[in-house]
């Protein structure tokens, strides 16, 4: 089974970096990208991904709110919040948004993506 991924970030360099991380993994494939929370909801609706890598700071709707709405409409889609916040500075509600985890952008790597996916059914909110 191929894990279908959507990357949501308003910064093209991070979308490209995240795509390169995913490309290192067998059986993982980036099927779409979005640059805002609103666009993320539309892309998820259209493409039915398995996993969404969601930036927190987006134009318009925040990634936290987009995750909350995404999970309400598509509880089967795993969402991981990514940003540059230190854990203690995360926006209120990030940990209750329905996201599986928060990952600092500097820590996003292929092994971590694979581990989060593998442990998705057992994991509770975690930070990396």
């Amino acid at each position: 089974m191929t894990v279908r991924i959507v990357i949501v970030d308003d910064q093209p360099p991070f979308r490209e970096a995240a795509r390169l991380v995913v490309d290192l993994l067998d059986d993982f494939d980036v099927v779409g990208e979005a640059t805002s929370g609103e666009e993320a909801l539309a892309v998820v609706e259209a493409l039915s991904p398995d996993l969404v890598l969601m930036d927190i700071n987006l134009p318009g709707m925040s990634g936290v709110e987009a995750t909350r709405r995404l999970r309400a409409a598509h509880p089967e889609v795993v969402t991981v919040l990514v940003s540059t916040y230190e854990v203690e500075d995360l926006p209120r509600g990030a940990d209750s948004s329905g996201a599986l985890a928060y990952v600092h952008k500097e820590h996003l790597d292929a092994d971590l993506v694979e581990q989060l996916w593998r442990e998705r059914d057992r994991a509770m909110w975690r930070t990396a």
Side-chain angles (χ1 to χ4, degrees):
M1 174 186 137
T2 299
V3 179
R4 299 165 41 87
I5 298 178
V6 167
I7 299 168
V8 183
D9 198 289
D10 60 328
Q11 300 295 317
F14 181 76
R15 288 196 313 272
E16 181 61 28
R19 182 178 285 278
L20 292 171
V21 166
V22 172
D23 286 347
L24 295 172
L25 294 165
D26 294 334
D27 301 324
F28 286 73
D29 188 29
V30 175
V31 296
E33 296 181 0
T35 60
S36 70
E38 294 85 355
E39 186 181 5
L41 296 176
V43 168
V44 167
E45 191 68 36
L47 299 178
S48 301
D50 303 300
L51 175 64
V52 175
L53 301 177
M54 177 83 71
D55 187 22
I56 291 177
N57 290 318
L58 296 168
M61 182 188 312
S62 76
V64 172
E65 180 59 26
T67 296
R68 186 173 282 108
R69 292 183 187 192
L70 186 155
R71 295 285 297 151
H74 301 281
E76 73 284 0
V77 177
V78 175
T79 304
V80 174
L81 292 172
V82 293
S83 196
T84 57
Y85 287 101
E86 295 304 322
V87 172
E88 59 273 6
D89 296 326
L90 283 170
R92 188 174 68 219
D95 61 343
S96 62
S97 65
L100 173 68
Y102 168 70
V103 175
H104 193 285
K105 286 182 176 181
E106 290 180 356
H107 301 151
L108 186 69
D109 66 25
D111 290 338
L112 181 58
V113 171
E114 190 172 42
Q115 178 185 7
L116 288 169
W117 178 253
R118 208 174 38 246
E119 297 175 358
R120 69 193 178 280
D121 293 328
R122 293 176 288 163
M124 303 281 290
W125 170 257
R126 67 178 274 191
T127 57

